[in-house]
Amino acid sequence: MSALELHGVGFRYATRSALEDVSFNVPPGHFTALLGPNGAGKSTLIALLTRLYDLQQGDVSVYGCSLRQQPRLALRQLGVVFQQSTLDLDLSVEQNLRYHAALHGMPRKLTAARIDEELARQSLTERRRDKVRLLNGGHRRRVEIARALLHKPRLLLLDEASVGLDPASRLALNRHVRQLCRDEGLSVLWTTHLLDEVQADDDLLILDRGRLVAQGRAADLGGDDLAAAFERLTRREAA
Amino acid sequence: MSTPESAFGAASRLGPGAYWECLRGIVVREWLRFVQQRSRFLSALVRPLLWLLVFAAGFRAALGIAIIEPYDTYITYETYIVPGLACMILLFNGMQGSLSMVYDREMGSMRVLLTSPLPRGFLLCGKLLATALISLLQVYAFLAIAWFYGVQPPVAGLLAALPALLLVALLLSALGLLLSNGIRQLENFAGVMNFVIFPLFFLSSALYPLWKMREASEWLYWICALNPFSHAVELVRFALYERLNGLALAVCLGLTLVFAVLAVLSFNPQHAALRRAA
């Protein structure tokens, strides 16, 4: 069973189309990168996957649960890190995590154990009582990852999670998520517009102007030069 | 052996305990944010206090010499407008809270809320309830100051007003959410002030008794009498003096239910995004 399956997904804003007939699979336990220039439709896609927007065309399944038929079951299997930080800056790390656990209806005892576990894994145990405002960008992202994993989702969505981080933190975050994927068997969909976050072995999806223009193993798609392939695939027509 | 992990698998059903934890979590978060933002709390108190200490002082003799229900003696104007000002706090908070639920949602906290696997209607009502509970703290802080200023309803009345205030808070938040869902012009707070808050507040029994309005104009009287906010104010006014205003209660209960159902049904985060893109 695929971790995530999109079938003929289309979405229109009032006057323009944001996604057209997008279909792909994210295999379980893999790191899948969704690459696309700004405005390719990545954020719209994430908004559909997280049920901020309603599906207009096609369907999405998360581990076999259709967003149309069993949306709440689908959401339970999903952990999300949004592009813009969604943490309460004036609350502590732990308070933010508790809130998320409550939203998922987790019993308090289990919540406490899971928070200990996730904070230790993100090396944030020392910072648990600090206000999020005091944390740097890289650490805030880690809190968001800890939060996204609290309810033990099987699929982690990261929407341009590295935006706004300095190069070192960006690299560290990317490495960290890959490790989670390897160690925990977590399925990951990592959206980005930055080529250097994609590795040769990744499953790669390339989105451009609302269409999926390529999918496959990154090394197979790009050959020796992924950058050139990406540019070729997403080249804008001359005006 | 059953571990806590196995008790919370993705496949297990979310029972009543999950709903309780979720509601509790939403209220606790609202409380923590409230504690963090004390300056907002103080500034929310300034508005009704200005009305009470400045505006009402100037109108002290405005009521003339009538005794009106639920009061059993002559009252000062300050005493008269305290219930209306308490409801004004709820009106502002309800509108502000609901507006931010609709227009801030893409920015963060609403996105997090909406990824919860519990039903959306439950999440929205939980959020309305949490905002309402926090607003009550502001109302009681205001009533405490009014008490020291000399407006002293019976202590039992202050307790009896609690459920009335809670109902009014829910009514106004639900109305706010419904309006923000549906009306594009309400995207900013200035629009809400001009087209919702001021008309509801001024065309009600908050500042003047309805018989006074009738003396001025018959049609003005009828607008005020039909305004739901008048019923909200009267419900609270009567409760503060240990009386039950049955009509006001029925109107407030009924409208809260209707507004909440309509607000939940019409809540769709997509609308705001589509409008922006249009």
Side-chain angles (χ1 to χ4, degrees):
Chain A
M1 193 195 300
S2 297
L4 178 68
E5 191 174 344
L6 272 76
H7 188 75
V9 171
F11 190 86
R12 285 190 70 81
Y13 292 101
T15 50
R16 69 184 174 87
S17 167
L19 293 172
E20 276 177 59
D21 195 21
V22 174
S23 301
F24 62 78
N25 286 320
V26 170
H30 277 242
F31 185 98
T32 302
L34 174 69
L35 186 64
N38 291 326
K42 301 189 296 292
S43 293
T44 304
L45 191 64
I46 295 287
L48 286 171
L49 297 180
T50 53
R51 288 192 73 226
L52 185 72
Y53 298 170
D54 293 334
L55 284 170
Q56 292 174 347
Q57 275 175 358
D59 199 2
V60 176
S61 307
V62 183
Y63 281 94
C65 300
S66 148
L67 270 191
R68 284 188 190 275
Q69 316 289 332
Q70 304 156 290
R72 289 163 47 202
L73 221 48
L75 279 181
R76 289 187 71 181
Q77 327 225 29
L78 207 64
V80 193
V81 177
F82 292 106
Q83 185 173 351
Q84 279 159 330
S85 173
T86 53
L87 295 166
D88 273 319
L89 296 182
D90 291 318
L91 302 192
S92 73
V93 170
E94 190 173 344
Q95 286 166 342
N96 269 285
L97 297 182
R98 280 187 185 283
Y99 174 56
H100 176 87
L103 287 180
H104 279 261
M106 286 168 62
R108 262 168 277 171
K109 230 178 173 172
L110 172 61
T111 298
R114 292 286 301 129
I115 288 179
D116 289 346
E117 220 172 295
E118 287 304 328
L119 285 182
R121 183 152 67 178
Q122 311 289 343
S123 318
L124 283 168
T125 305
E126 310 281 289
R127 313 294 306 265
R128 66 190 297 157
R129 301 206 191 287
D130 288 351
K131 280 189 187 178
V132 170
R133 196 178 287 286
L134 301 175
L135 268 50
N136 66 32
H139 281 151
R140 287 184 195 182
R141 277 301 181 198
R142 284 180 170 224
V143 174
E144 292 194 288
I145 292 174
R147 181 175 69 172
L149 295 177
L150 270 186
H151 59 286
K152 291 226 161 181
R154 295 157 85 188
L155 171 65
L156 182 62
L157 295 182
L158 299 106
D159 184 15
E160 308 228 14
S162 59
V163 162
L165 298 183
D166 61 67
S169 312
R170 201 154 69 77
L171 194 66
L173 182 74
N174 188 278
R175 245 192 239 134
H176 180 72
V177 172
R178 287 172 184 282
Q179 195 173 352
L180 284 174
C181 185
R182 264 195 312 275
D183 298 350
E184 310 284 325
L186 193 67
S187 317
V188 173
L189 180 66
W190 173 282
T191 81
T192 182
H193 63 276
L194 299 166
L195 267 175
D196 60 356
E197 293 180 354
V198 180
Q199 293 182 1
D201 271 342
D202 292 341
D203 290 307
L204 179 63
L205 305 159
I206 299 181
L207 195 65
D208 184 43
R209 281 167 288 181
R211 291 171 180 277
L212 197 67
V213 292
Q215 72 184 103
R217 213 174 127 253
D220 299 338
L221 290 178
D224 294 336
D225 189 352
L226 185 59
F230 180 57
E231 196 177 336
R232 195 178 63 246
L233 285 164
T234 61
R235 187 181 300 147
R236 307 277 172 202
E237 281 107 21
Chain B
M1 199 183 78
S2 161
T3 63
E5 298 286 341
S6 63
F8 190 80
S12 66
R13 267 180 62 82
L14 291 169
Y19 284 79
W20 166 246
E21 286 303 333
C22 180
L23 185 61
R24 190 180 161 277
I26 294 173
V27 173
V28 167
R29 170 176 177 271
E30 228 38 63
W31 163 251
L32 291 170
R33 284 169 58 86
F34 170 74
V35 173
Q36 292 299 333
Q37 303 179 334
R38 266 160 296 193
S39 61
R40 232 181 65 186
F41 171 60
L42 290 177
S43 64
L45 275 181
V46 168
R47 197 178 304 117
L49 285 176
L50 276 177
W51 280 91
L52 179 66
L53 307 180
V54 182
F55 180 83
F59 276 74
R60 188 158 284 184
L63 284 188
I65 48 160
I67 295 178
I68 49 167
E69 276 202 293
Y71 308 101
D72 26 68
T73 175
Y74 299 111
I75 51 160
T76 61
Y77 187 58
E78 282 95 333
T79 305
Y80 181 80
I81 66 167
V82 159
L85 296 179
C87 290
M88 181 176 84
I89 298 178
L90 300 176
L91 181 61
F92 268 90
N93 283 2
M95 293 295 149
Q96 213 156 17
S98 298
L99 197 69
S100 71
M101 274 169 78
V102 174
Y103 291 99
D104 296 350
R105 66 187 138 205
E106 290 214 76
M107 301 303 288
S109 68
M110 278 311 277
R111 282 197 89 156
V112 174
L113 187 78
L114 294 177
T115 55
S116 161
L118 293 168
R120 231 164 231 203
F122 175 78
L123 298 169
L124 292 176
C125 291
K127 181 93 178 150
L128 292 180
L129 177 68
T131 322
L133 288 173
I134 299 304
S135 298
L136 289 186
L137 296 172
Q138 302 188 11
V139 170
Y140 275 93
F142 167 70
L143 290 175
I145 297 173
W147 178 277
F148 288 111
Y149 184 65
V151 180
Q152 302 183 335
V155 176
L158 287 170
L159 282 177
L162 185 63
L165 287 164
L166 181 61
L167 178 60
V168 170
L170 288 173
L171 166 68
L172 297 171
S173 305
L175 173 65
L177 185 57
L178 180 62
L179 291 174
S180 338
N181 281 340
I183 305 177
R184 187 177 180 176
Q185 281 72 19
L186 295 185
E187 277 186 39
N188 59 57
F189 199 64
V192 174
M193 290 265 277
N194 287 333
F195 294 106
V196 182
I197 293 185
F198 285 159
L200 279 181
F201 183 65
F202 288 116
L203 291 170
S204 77
S205 58
L207 295 178
Y208 323 99
L210 292 185
W211 66 265
K212 249 323 203 200
M213 285 291 192
R214 199 166 210 167
E215 278 180 357
S217 133
E218 187 73 18
W219 63 266
L220 206 54
Y221 164 78
W222 279 107
I223 294 177
C224 297
L226 294 174
N227 179 355
F229 191 71
S230 291
H231 293 282
V233 172
E234 292 313 306
L235 181 69
V236 170
R237 186 190 310 285
F238 275 64
L240 269 176
Y241 293 87
E242 301 169 77
R243 301 272 296 276
L244 176 69
N245 186 327
L247 173 66
L249 178 64
V251 170
C252 290
L253 267 178
L255 286 179
T256 304
L257 210 63
V258 170
F259 290 161
V261 169
L262 291 178
V264 166
L265 290 179
S266 63
F267 181 84
N268 189 339
Q270 196 167 308
H271 291 164
L274 294 184
R275 276 189 214 135
R276 268 194 297 275

